[in-house]
Amino acid sequence: MIVAAASYFALTAAVRAVLFFTVAFLVHVLVPHQSAVHVVSALSPLSCDTMEIVSLTRFPVKGLGPSLLDSVHIQGSGETFPDDRRFALLKKVNVDKFDSANPEWLFKGNFLCAFTAPELMARYECEYRIIEAGGSSSDEERGSSGTHNVRCRQSYGAPWDDVDGPSKRNTNTKIQRLLTVWERDENGKSQKASSSPVLGPVDLATDLGKEETGAFFSQKIGEDVVCVTAKQAQSKVSDSRSITAHNHQFGNTSSGVKANGNTRTVHIINAETVRQFSDAIGIPLNPSRFRPNVVVSSLEPWAEFDMIGKTLVLEQNGSSNDDNESSELLTLDIVSKTVRCEGVGIDPDDAQTGVLPIPSLLTEHFPERGPYLGVYAIVRTGGTLRLGDRLQCRELLKQA
């Protein structure tokens, strides 16, 4: 009986193998060539060194929600997304740790943010715009009037958001940094379209705007917090123009400080890594919950970890940036992995998933990776990133 059973299972395996290759042959012969190409394209292997940009995001206030961008211009070396984490809600008991004239990196536990109050911060969604005071029809077209929820199509930190490029208007024009906040309903659903904002728009470029923001969140958390930003120096762009520099970022990592003494970094998430993590825990996860500046796809899961110590070079129009003299060369040096904390345990855009212990889940399902997901980069040379652009990984380029 044992021999018969063994023969049966052996025969079954053989039959299965024959059926598999027979079906594969019939598909190859009978499926039209165009369909076959489509199937192959859908199942084509992911790349180990080239990726496509599928999301661009900035977080103007540390801990609050994102501002989605179709493109972003980074002025130059060592900078980051314009106004990304430019402001923060510092707990008043820690105010002596922050010197606006000489800011240093501070651990996130000093702030009201997604790390210290994840449930509270997930209740709010915000909108942020950099505009010229007074406005115009062109301002309205690019989503910088009132509280309408319009995606900012281009972000130039020079110093206002502008569709058509950096403004050439009077350098004395007043710049407003407008924050508007809504509270989600009890199910975490957006109320932007159906309710008035609970805060704003307030101008964070003014002391009054920062005071209103601090007072609002102090009341919500039951603890005094102050909205802070670094004292920004004026940076000369040309003989006729100067900008308010974004020279300090309230980021979660000290990687930039360790690499070049700079707090400003760019956070990159690989969508394929998130997808594999989602499959492992059986819960769909949105890459946005990890608060990235850039989400890339078409890259092997976890391949971003192999890029630490290497350089990402922007490709446009099918060729690498440095082969195209007519476009700006943007390069990013990958400096470290992103250690995950409980602050990403809640996805504000998907409250149904509840609170997830992301660090322990990563360690449980991917022990060789530890509690890490994502990488940090520092900007080597500036330029413009757009949705659909591709980045290519290379060995660390030598400084010119």
Side-chain angles (χ1 to χ4, degrees):
M1 182 176 291
I2 295 176
V3 174
S7 300
Y8 170 77
F9 285 113
L11 179 61
T12 301
V15 170
R16 287 177 179 172
V18 170
L19 287 174
F20 174 82
F21 287 109
T22 300
V23 170
F25 174 77
L26 290 174
V27 168
H28 177 75
V29 172
L30 298 177
V31 173
H33 178 69
Q34 185 175 359
S35 299
V37 171
H38 175 75
V39 171
V40 171
S41 175
L43 301 177
S44 59
L46 301 174
S47 172
C48 292
D49 58 9
T50 303
M51 64 214 79
E52 180 181 349
I53 296 173
V54 295
S55 177
L56 295 168
T57 310
R58 67 176 171 194
F59 297 83
V61 181
K62 180 182 179 69
L64 285 181
S67 174
L68 300 177
L69 303 169
D70 291 333
S71 57
V72 61
H73 184 75
I74 301 176
Q75 287 291 127
S77 176
E79 299 203 17
T80 186
F81 281 37
D83 279 23
D84 183 64
R85 296 161 172 97
R86 185 178 192 131
F87 302 94
L89 299 167
L90 180 65
K91 295 182 178 181
K92 198 167 185 178
V93 295
N94 301 318
V95 72
D96 291 340
K97 298 180 181 180
F98 179 70
D99 180 359
S100 63
N102 187 29
E104 296 182 354
W105 180 83
L106 291 177
F107 177 64
K108 53 195 170 185
N110 291 289
F111 303 92
L112 171 61
C113 61
F115 174 70
T116 56
E119 292 88 355
L120 174 72
M121 303 308 277
R123 283 166 46 190
Y124 300 100
E125 56 184 332
C126 69
E127 183 177 282
Y128 181 84
R129 300 189 181 96
I130 309 171
I131 68 169
E132 291 177 320
S136 68
S137 59
S138 60
D139 287 335
E140 187 167 353
E141 289 169 2
R142 64 176 175 258
S144 57
S145 62
T147 59
H148 298 294
N149 181 21
V150 180
R151 174 179 293 203
C152 170
R153 289 192 290 142
Q154 177 74 45
S155 177
Y156 283 85
W160 42 78
D161 290 359
D162 195 294
V163 171
D164 300 318
S167 175
K168 306 242 190 298
R169 300 177 190 175
N170 192 319
T171 57
N172 294 321
T173 299
K174 181 182 178 182
I175 302 304
Q176 294 181 317
R177 290 179 158 83
L178 300 182
L179 173 71
T180 309
V181 179
W182 288 262
E183 186 168 3
R184 300 174 188 271
D185 68 15
E186 60 275 9
N187 297 314
K189 300 299 183 183
S190 173
Q191 297 296 294
K192 275 188 178 182
S194 58
S195 67
S196 299
V198 293
L199 174 67
V202 294
D203 184 4
L204 295 184
T206 67
D207 290 339
L208 178 60
K210 290 191 284 289
E211 290 169 5
E212 289 184 34
T213 303
F216 174 83
F217 284 101
S218 295
Q219 190 272 328
K220 295 299 180 182
I221 193 64
E223 178 183 359
D224 287 340
V225 299
V226 290
C227 182
V228 296
T229 188
K231 185 177 181 180
Q232 310 294 344
Q234 291 293 313
S235 177
K236 186 175 181 180
V237 175
S238 67
D239 290 338
S240 61
R241 297 183 61 240
S242 63
I243 66 171
T244 304
H246 174 28
N247 53 25
H248 181 79
Q249 180 188 46
F250 292 99
N252 288 339
T253 182
S254 59
S255 298
V257 178
K258 294 174 182 176
N260 63 357
N262 192 335
T263 60
R264 296 168 294 180
T265 58
V266 174
H267 186 208
I268 302 173
I269 289 291
N270 179 2
E272 306 302 336
T273 299
V274 175
R275 184 174 291 110
Q276 189 175 92
F277 182 33
S278 298
D279 291 342
I281 65 176
I283 300 173
L285 301 175
N286 191 322
S288 65
R289 81 151 56 217
F290 298 98
R291 303 179 69 81
N293 297 118
V294 181
V295 178
V296 297
S297 67
S298 306
L299 186 68
E300 287 279 359
W302 310 102
E304 63 273 25
F305 285 5
D306 297 328
M307 297 179 181
I308 294 172
K310 298 182 180 180
T311 301
L312 298 184
V313 179
L314 177 65
E315 296 182 353
Q316 288 179 306
N317 301 322
S319 61
S320 62
N321 235 191
D322 54 351
D323 293 330
N324 187 352
E325 297 180 353
S326 65
S327 60
E328 296 173 281
L329 167 64
L330 185 141
T331 52
L332 300 162
D333 292 338
I334 308 298
V335 294
S336 71
K337 296 183 289 187
T338 307
V339 62
R340 303 317 324 191
C341 70
E342 301 299 340
V344 295
I346 296 179
D347 183 356
D349 294 322
D350 187 11
Q352 303 305 315
T353 60
V355 181
L356 300 176
I358 296 295
S360 59
L361 286 172
L362 280 168
T363 302
E364 175 186 351
H365 293 277
F366 301 95
E368 72 282 10
R369 306 295 181 184
Y372 298 92
L373 195 152
V375 293
Y376 285 108
I378 55 177
V379 176
R380 175 187 287 247
T381 51
T384 300
L385 291 174
R386 300 177 178 85
L387 295 179
D389 279 349
R390 298 184 70 82
L391 296 166
Q392 184 181 87
C393 181
R394 300 183 182 179
E395 293 299 321
L396 187 64
L397 299 178
K398 294 181 179 180
Q399 294 283 5

